[in-house]
């Protein structure tokens, strides 16, 4: 498979294009030569095969071929809202959640969250995580890039949700919760998962009032970055794929 690159701009079959700096650097690192094939996508559900026409010192020009619709999305739409784990664990989580097919990630600050972000720092982190998601799409072959939401507190996020007509709502819980394997795979899901210190009882009650069903992943306590990935793996492998 030719190397894949995410380009955040409209693309048109047949056009000549100068690659943005990030993609151009990657092409340089791969030492591709004029005539080499690459694949471009911009997140709208399609791919373009492109041919390198010119390699400058830092700029790379390509000629786009035809637009091909490519659907590698899960048959169910999953929004993952989670108490952000600290350090590079959030990067790893976004990378792997993207590979597993998540549609949207909502970073949350909960009562026991270690990582607290606001203002410019929060915006920079969001942009960084969006880049991690794009890179994971390049690697995994997805043509739609999951959206990373703005950092919100749990109460802010719960208040922003519209009435529960739109699919299932689950909160991953170590309290009295229904085992995941007894639940049918929903067509659309918003799933809340706690931070390193877990969700407080008051937070789980607030989620329950907003229509979230408590769901168990078993008797072992999983890390804040493991629990959502276990859920996604289960759903991704249980859901019928779009083929
Ligand atoms: N000591 C914390 C507690 O008791 O809540 C542990 C929190 S755990 C590291 C982080 C989050 O992962 C939890 O808030 C929960 O959402 C989820 N989680 C971890 N293990 C789980 C399990 N076995 N079933 C359901 N959710 C789980």
């Amino acid at each position: 498979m030719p190397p894949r690159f995410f380009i955040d701009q409209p693309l048109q079959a047949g056009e000549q294009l100068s690659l943005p700096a990030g993609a151009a650097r990657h092409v340089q690192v791969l030492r591709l030569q004029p005539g080499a094939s690459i694949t471009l996508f911009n997140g709208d559900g399609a791919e373009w095969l492109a041919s390198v026409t010119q390699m400058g010192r830092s700029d790379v020009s390509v000629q786009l071929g035809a637009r091909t619709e490519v659907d590698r999305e899960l048959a169910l739409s999953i929004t993952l809202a989670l108490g952000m784990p600290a350090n590079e664990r959030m990067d790893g989580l976004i990378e792997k959640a993207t590979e597993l097919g998540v549609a949207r990630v909502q970073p949350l600050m909960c009562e026991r969250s270690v990582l607290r972000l606001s203002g410019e720092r929060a915006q920079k982190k969001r942009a960084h995580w969006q880049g991690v998601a794009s890179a994971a799409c390049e690697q995994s072959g997805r043509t739609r890039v999951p959206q990373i939401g703005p950092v919100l507190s749990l109460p802010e996020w719960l208040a922003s949700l519209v009435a529960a007509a739109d699919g299932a709502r689950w909160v991953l819980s170590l309290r009295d919760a229904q085992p995941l394997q007894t639940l049918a795979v929903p067509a659309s899901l918003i799933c809340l998962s706690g931070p390193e210190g877990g969700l407080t009882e008051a937070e789980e009650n607030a989620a329950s009032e907003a229509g979230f069903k408590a769901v168990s992943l078993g008797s072992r306590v999983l890390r804040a970055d493991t629990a959502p990935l276990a859920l996604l793996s289960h759903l991704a492998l249980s859901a019928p794929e779009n083929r």
Side-chain angles (χ1 to χ4, degrees):
M1 199 204 282
R4 300 178 85 248
F5 299 99
F6 172 68
I7 308 286
D8 192 10
Q9 65 186 63
L11 297 173
Q12 289 217 329
E15 75 173 316
Q16 276 278 351
L17 187 75
S18 185
L19 292 182
R25 204 165 39 248
H26 278 122
V27 170
Q28 302 275 6
V29 167
L30 291 172
R31 297 181 186 280
L32 298 183
Q33 298 301 317
S37 294
I38 61 173
T39 301
L40 301 181
F41 66 103
N42 64 2
D44 76 350
E47 286 181 349
W48 286 257
L49 196 61
S51 175
V52 175
T53 52
Q54 195 196 330
M55 296 284 289
R57 194 169 291 192
S58 60
D59 57 304
V60 174
S61 301
V62 299
Q63 165 100 44
L64 266 62
R67 178 183 198 274
T68 310
E69 296 280 336
V70 176
D71 186 358
R72 298 196 177 104
E73 298 306 300
L74 286 184
L76 73 154
S77 164
I78 304 175
T79 297
L80 188 58
L82 73 157
M84 303 170 290
N87 308 323
E88 63 293 337
R89 285 184 188 276
M90 184 67 171
D91 285 16
L93 193 154
I94 287 178
E95 179 185 88
K96 283 150 189 45
T98 301
E99 290 169 24
L100 289 166
V102 77
R104 192 164 196 279
V105 177
Q106 174 56 59
L108 294 176
M109 286 182 294
C110 305
E111 276 184 45
R112 296 182 185 145
S113 285
V114 177
L115 182 58
R116 302 209 159 257
L117 296 170
S118 60
E120 199 181 332
R121 248 183 100 219
Q123 285 173 16
K124 278 193 176 154
K125 269 289 184 197
R126 182 190 185 186
H128 168 74
W129 291 328
Q130 193 64 64
V132 171
S134 303
C137 288
E138 290 177 342
Q139 185 275 328
S140 62
R142 285 183 72 175
T143 54
R144 294 201 183 272
V145 182
Q147 292 307 299
I148 312 298
V151 176
L152 296 175
S153 70
L154 177 58
E156 276 176 322
W157 176 68
L158 286 176
S160 76
L161 294 176
V162 279
D166 54 342
R169 294 180 177 190
W170 295 350
V171 52
L172 297 184
S173 173
L174 289 148
R175 298 189 171 85
D176 188 19
Q178 190 164 343
L180 173 62
Q181 59 276 20
T182 63
L183 291 163
V185 175
S188 161
L189 171 68
I190 303 175
C191 181
L192 169 63
S193 190
E196 289 94 332
L199 296 166
T200 63
E201 198 170 344
E203 287 176 324
E204 288 204 18
N205 289 341
S208 166
E209 276 163 29
F212 284 75
K213 175 199 284 289
V215 173
S216 166
L217 300 174
S219 55
R220 289 167 303 283
V221 179
L222 307 178
R223 280 188 185 269
D225 50 334
T226 310
L229 294 176
L231 172 90
L232 276 169
S233 307
H234 171 83
L235 294 176
L237 295 174
S238 310
E241 292 284 343
N242 286 341
R243 284 185 199 281

